[in-house]
Amino acid sequence: HTHTYSLQTLRCLSQHFRYLFNCGEGTQRICMEHKVKLKTLQHIFLTHTHWDNLGGLPGMLLTLEQIRGPTSKPINLHGPMSLGTDMRAMRHFLHRSKLNYALQPCSADGSFVFTEGTVTIRGVGLGGSMRQGRPSPASPTAAAVAAP
């Protein structure tokens, strides 16, 4: 039985910055096949922590560490509050006690604002599962990029 799915990853470039939105399984392999330069990638934004958006993150982090070196600036992972739990679970099968990343969780409702240079990225909670009348930390988030 063959499963067909589409990769839900988006790479955005500005003059000075590189951003990756979601990191589904196979993202790192596709980047390598198409000679996408990852060395300057500093931020990965995850809209939710289901495997379709998160499955490629372990391989991507290992690749980035190899390309950039272990003493480089950490990769900033922006996403739902539950991302920390997922990252702690991943370290057991990555065979690394520490990867070079920094968690940047969004608020409980899924919203955040990130600004770097002339680029502003806003996350907007889309609802999803509800807990005590509020979206759960794993609720999907949409990210909008605005640049002049």
Side-chain angles (χ1 to χ4, degrees):
H1 187 260
T2 304
H3 294 281
T4 304
Y5 63 92
S6 61
L7 194 59
Q8 299 178 19
T9 301
L10 172 68
R11 181 171 166 248
C12 292
L13 310 170
S14 74
Q15 187 174 3
H16 302 287
F17 306 108
R18 307 287 187 261
Y19 308 101
L20 191 67
F21 292 86
N22 295 322
C23 192
E25 195 169 352
T27 301
Q28 166 233 3
R29 178 184 51 78
I30 290 170
C31 287
M32 294 294 126
E33 285 176 3
H34 293 278
K35 298 178 178 32
V36 172
K37 294 182 178 156
L38 297 170
K39 190 171 187 171
T40 59
L41 181 66
Q42 288 292 319
H43 299 275
I44 299 174
F45 295 86
L46 300 165
T47 56
H48 62 279
T49 57
H50 297 160
W51 194 250
D52 61 336
N53 285 16
L54 182 68
L57 193 56
M60 180 63 77
L61 290 173
L62 289 170
T63 297
L64 289 170
E65 187 174 289
Q66 183 179 16
I67 292 170
R68 298 167 37 163
T71 59
S72 63
K73 293 166 82 173
I75 294 294
N76 292 287
L77 301 178
H78 304 263
M81 291 172 26
S82 62
L83 183 57
T85 302
D86 296 317
M87 294 307 296
R88 283 189 298 279
M90 281 184 212
R91 77 172 185 264
H92 296 294
F93 63 87
L94 289 172
H95 307 291
R96 297 276 171 101
S97 59
K98 181 161 175 34
L99 283 172
N100 197 10
Y101 67 86
L103 291 175
Q104 311 293 335
C106 59
S107 66
D109 68 357
S111 64
F112 69 90
V113 176
F114 169 81
T115 302
E116 184 172 50
T118 60
V119 175
T120 299
I121 300 169
R122 297 179 194 282
V124 181
L126 296 178
S129 60
M130 298 293 282
R131 187 181 314 153
Q132 298 175 349
R134 293 180 25 208
S136 73
S139 294
T141 300
V145 180

